[in-house]
């Protein structure tokens, strides 16, 4: 295979289209969440992931799992958690069975803000997908996104330890 191989070129074009779709969606949602709720996409994602924790086996996520779920490094995730904790949206506590472990829960204020922001997020996502569907290069990817129905608990690192 060479750099001009048609299969590689098609693969690179597909990757570029996927990257473009992701960027457009994220930027659209970011603007909507910031304008309406003062949240970034990453902050919203972190609140959403942490709100899905539960008591019982595998119910509380370690920081590495949270970082993987929100697609950030562990240090960036820790900084994000600190910012949201400073705003009163999250609270950290020691793991009851392992004093070295620290868990993070969404506070009542965080749950309230998340509930208020969820319709904004969902509407902005729908708008971004509808806009992208008008672009012939992005339309096939939009159809794939719309047809994918992967439950959150099936996504690695969100519902299961890594």
């Amino acid at each position: 295979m060479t750099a001009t191989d048609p299969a590689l070129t098609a693969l690179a074009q597909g990757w570029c289209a996927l990257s473009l779709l992701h960027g457009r969606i994220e930027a659209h949602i970011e603007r909507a969440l910031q304008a309406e709720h003062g949240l970034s996409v990453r902050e919203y994602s972190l609140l959403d992931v942490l709100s899905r924790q539960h008591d019982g086996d595998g119910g509380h996520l370690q920081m590495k799992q949270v970082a993987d779920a929100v697609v950030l490094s562990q240090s960036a995730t820790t900084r994000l958690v600190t910012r949201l904790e400073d705003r009163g949206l999250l609270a950290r506590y020691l793991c009851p069975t392992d004093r070295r472990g620290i868990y993070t829960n969404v506070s009542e204020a965080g749950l309230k803000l998340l509930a208020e922001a969820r319709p904004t997020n969902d509407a902005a996502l729908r708008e971004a997908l509808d806009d992208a569907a008008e672009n012939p290069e992005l339309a096939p990817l939009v159809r794939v996104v719309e047809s994918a129905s992967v439950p959150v608990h099936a996504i690695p690192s969100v519902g299961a330890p890594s």
Side-chain angles (χ1 to χ4, degrees), residues 85-107:
E85 186 178 34
D86 290 347
R87 290 174 59 186
L89 303 175
L90 299 177
R92 294 186 227 203
Y93 66 96
L94 291 175
C95 171
T97 58
D98 180 359
R99 302 298 283 177
R100 297 170 296 171
I102 298 175
Y103 290 137
T104 305
N105 273 343
V106 181
S107 68

Side-chain angles (χ1 to χ4, degrees), residues 37-56:
H37 309 284
L39 281 174
S40 71
V41 168
R42 297 290 187 204
E43 291 167 338
Y44 175 88
S45 296
L46 181 65
L47 289 172
D48 185 53
V49 165
L50 291 174
S51 75
R52 296 174 193 278
Q53 295 182 122
H54 57 83
D55 291 329

Side-chain angles (χ1 to χ4, degrees), residues 132-151:
E134 299 298 318
N135 180 325
E137 293 175 356
L138 299 179
L141 294 173
V142 170
R143 287 191 295 276
V144 169
V145 169
E146 291 173 335
S147 69
S149 58
V150 180

Side-chain angles (χ1 to χ4, degrees), residues 4 6-8 15 28-29 45-46 48 50 52 67 69 71 81 91 102 104 116 118 124 131 133 135 156 160:
T4 58
L8 288 178
W15 168 244
H28 190 78
I29 294 171
S45 296
L46 181 65
D48 185 53
L50 291 174
R52 296 174 193 278
V71 194
V81 165
I102 298 175
T104 305
E116 292 168 356
R118 187 167 276 124
D131 288 347
N135 180 325

